[in-house]
Amino acid sequence: MKQLLAAFLVLGCMAQFGATRHHQHQADGMVGLWGHSAQRRDVGRYLKNNVQASSFSDGESMRKLRANRAEDVRNGFRHAWKAYRKYAFGYDEINPLTLEAVTTRNGWGATLIDSLDTLYVMGLNEEFKEAAEKVKAINFDKNDGEPSKVFETNIRYIGGLISAYELSGDRMFLKQATSLADIMLEAFDTKTGIPWQMWDVQTGTGSSEGGPSTLNNLAEVGTYQLEFFRLSQLTHDPVYHKAAQRVYDVILDRNTPRKGTAYAVPGLYPVFLDIKSGKFLSGKPNLGGGSDSFYEYLIKTWALSDFKLQRNLDMWNESLKSIKKYLLCKGSDKRLYMGVGDNEGLDSISDTFTCFFPGTLALAARLQNDNETLEIAHNLLLSAYNTFSSMPTHIGPEAFGFLPFGDDASDLLKSQNSEIKKYGFYLDRPYYLMRPEAIESIFYFYRITGDEKYADWIWEIWQGIKANCAVDGGFAGVRDVRLGREGGLIGKQESFVFSETFKYIYLAFTDSNVLSLDDYVFSTEGHPFKRTQFNGTF
C-alpha cells in the first residue's frame, strides 16, 4: 500500500500542479511561495540564533529549590501513573474518579504511548521498561472496532513512538511508529491527497467525524508535517513527508483569498474544508481548537528541517502578518488578546487552546531574531497567564471572552460585565480539563529568558492543580475554576496530561539542558523531536 501511495503522490503532484512544481532531488516544500529556496546565508543566520537563554539563575539555594520542585512534580506524575498501571494498564485512559479503564483512542493504549518520553525524561526507568514491553505487543491492524481519528492517532501514537525512539534508541519504537504510519497513510489516498478525518483500519474506509461527509478541519489536515518529516528522516523514506506536504500543495492551489468569501485574508485560513475539492467551506479564522496546530506546525517543521523548508516559513510569515492585523485586540483591561475573525470584524471570544500561541510565537521570534514579535508574544502571555492567576484556584477556564478596549459593554450579560471588571475577562466555559497550553507557553518563556518568575508562575499553577484536581485515580477535571474541587470534579484524564501537562511543568524545574530548545522541537502533543542537519534529501 505504501508503494502505491508513494506513486500516487508523485504522479498526482506532477499531473495536477505540473512537473516543475517540485524537484525530485529535494524534499517537497523547499521551494517557497514565490519560487525561491532557502538561502545559505539565511540558514546560517538562523542557526546562530539560539532559542534558550545563555544562563539561568544559579547558586546552591536555587539548585536545591529547583530539585525539590522537580521531585514534587515527579511524585505527582508517579501517583497518576501508578493508578493507571494498576487499574487501566494498556488501555487508552483511566477514569480518575471511578478507576475504570476507558477506551477512547481505539484501544491501543493512548496513555501508555503518550507517556513514554515523560517516563524516560523523569528517569522512571523500570516503569519505562515495563511500558516498552506492553508497546511491543500492540497490533495496530486491530482496534476496538471504531474508526480512528487520524489526527489524534498521529500526534498521540505516532509522535509518542517517534520521541520514545529518539530518546531511548530502542528501534522497536521506530518499527511500531512506522507500522502505524503506514496504516494511517491510507487515509491520505483521496482524490486530493488531503486525509480523511476518520479512518477505519478494519475496513479501509474513511469518513468525517460527523458521518459519511468529506468535511475536515484545518488542524486535522495540517498537523502531520512535523511527525511525518521526522519519520522520513529516520526511515530515509520520503513517502511520509510527501503525503504531509501535499496538503499544503492542494490548499494553496485550490484556494485564493477574496474579500467577501470564507477565505478573505491571505494566511488566515477558515476552519473547515472539503477533502474532495480541497476548498475551504466555512469557519471564521482563529487559533483555537480546530485550527491551532496548523499554524504551529508551519514554523516548527521549518525549524526541524534545519531551516530548509522555505514554503513553511513563507506561509508562517504570511499568516503572522494577518494575525497581527486582524486577530489581536487590546482588551478593556489593556491586556492583549486573540479573537476570532478576519477583515470583516473580530469576535472577542477565545479558548484555552489559543494559549499555546505565545510560546510558539516566542520560539519563532527567537529563531528569526525578531524582538518586536517577541514583545507581542509576551503581551499575549500576560493575558493567558491572567486567566489562571486571577482565579482563586490558580487554574484557568476552557474558554473565555473579553471586551475590546473602548467598546460598549451593553451587549454583555450583567454577570459577564461583572467578571470583566473583576478579572479582565469573563468565563465562557468555566471547567478545566488539565489542559497544558498556558503552562506550555510559560515554559517557553522561562527557557527563552531564563527569568525565574516564569518558573514561579508554573509552580503556582501546579499548586492549584494539586489542590483541586488530585484524586486517588490521578488528576480529575474541575467543573468550575472559580469554585475548584468544591464545585465538582470531572472523571476525565486524557493522555495529554501525561505527555504535555506533566512534562512542561517538570521541565521548568529540572536542568535547563534537559530537552533544550536549541536541540529539540516539541510537537503539539509535547513530544520532543531531535533537531539534526538536513541536506534536503531523505
Side-chain angles (χ1 to χ4, degrees), residues 242-418:
K242 283 180 176 290
Q245 287 291 315
R246 182 167 166 78
V247 171
Y248 295 155
D249 291 341
V250 176
I251 284 177
L252 294 171
D253 185 76
R254 300 290 181 88
N255 299 276
T256 302
R258 292 189 181 90
K259 290 183 179 180
T261 68
Y263 181 34
V265 178
L268 279 188
Y269 304 107
V271 179
F272 300 106
L273 71 163
D274 178 22
I275 70 167
K276 187 175 181 180
S277 68
K279 294 184 177 181
F280 288 117
L281 299 174
S282 62
K284 289 184 178 181
N286 68 88
L287 273 83
S291 298
D292 46 4
S293 48
F294 177 93
Y295 298 96
E296 177 184 5
Y297 273 30
L298 290 176
I299 194 67
K300 286 187 173 181
T301 307
W302 171 70
L304 191 65
S305 75
D306 203 26
F307 312 111
K308 300 299 196 308
L309 295 182
Q310 183 64 37
R311 181 172 63 176
N312 276 64
L313 179 61
D314 290 347
M315 291 176 69
W316 165 265
N317 285 333
E318 182 177 64
S319 293
L320 184 57
K321 180 179 178 181
S322 296
I323 288 168
K324 289 178 178 178
K325 185 174 182 179
Y326 294 108
L327 296 189
L328 304 187
C329 178
K330 184 168 72 170
S332 57
D333 61 350
K334 298 186 179 180
R335 294 185 178 94
L336 188 64
Y337 291 90
M338 294 190 68
V340 176
D342 52 26
N343 61 324
E344 294 187 353
L346 185 76
D347 295 335
S348 53
I349 191 75
S350 195
D351 63 27
T352 192
F353 294 103
T354 65
C355 294
F356 90 94
F357 193 62
T360 296
L361 189 59
L363 171 67
R366 286 288 287 177
L367 289 169
Q368 298 184 81
N369 196 25
D370 182 352
N371 290 328
E372 179 184 346
T373 295
L374 186 61
E375 181 64 22
I376 292 173
H378 183 256
N379 288 333
L380 286 170
L381 180 73
L382 295 178
S383 64
Y385 172 58
N386 182 56
T387 64
F388 280 68
S389 64
S390 63
M391 292 294 105
T393 56
H394 300 296
I395 51 179
E398 180 81 356
F400 53 91
F402 60 94
L403 179 67
F405 185 80
D407 273 18
D408 187 347
S410 59
D411 290 337
L412 295 173
L413 299 175
K414 185 177 180 180
S415 60
Q416 292 174 335
N417 194 31
S418 176

Side-chain angles (χ1 to χ4, degrees), residues 132-150:
E133 287 301 312
K134 199 79 171 177
V135 171
K136 186 177 180 180
I138 297 173
N139 180 0
F140 290 113
D141 288 314
K142 297 180 180 180
N143 66 6
D144 65 342
E146 294 295 320
S148 302
K149 200 166 192 182
V150 187

Side-chain angles (χ1 to χ4, degrees), residues 497-538:
V497 174
F498 296 83
S499 68
E500 296 184 79
T501 308
F502 271 112
K503 185 184 288 108
Y504 287 125
I505 296 174
Y506 180 76
L507 289 176
F509 307 118
T510 193
D511 192 290
S512 60
N513 290 323
V514 175
L515 300 182
S516 167
L517 296 178
D518 294 329
D519 300 324
Y520 289 89
V521 174
F522 287 88
S523 76
T524 196
E525 191 72 3
H527 296 304
F529 301 144
K530 184 72 175 175
R531 289 173 59 182
T532 60
Q533 290 186 340
F534 179 61
N535 66 4
T537 62
F538 297 105

Side-chain angles (χ1 to χ4, degrees), residues 92 115 133 157 174 197 219 306 351 376 414 453 485:
D92 292 334
S115 301
E133 287 301 312
Y157 287 113
L174 181 60
Q197 187 174 37
D306 203 26
D351 63 27
I376 292 173
K414 185 177 180 180
K453 76 177 180 183
R485 187 183 295 272

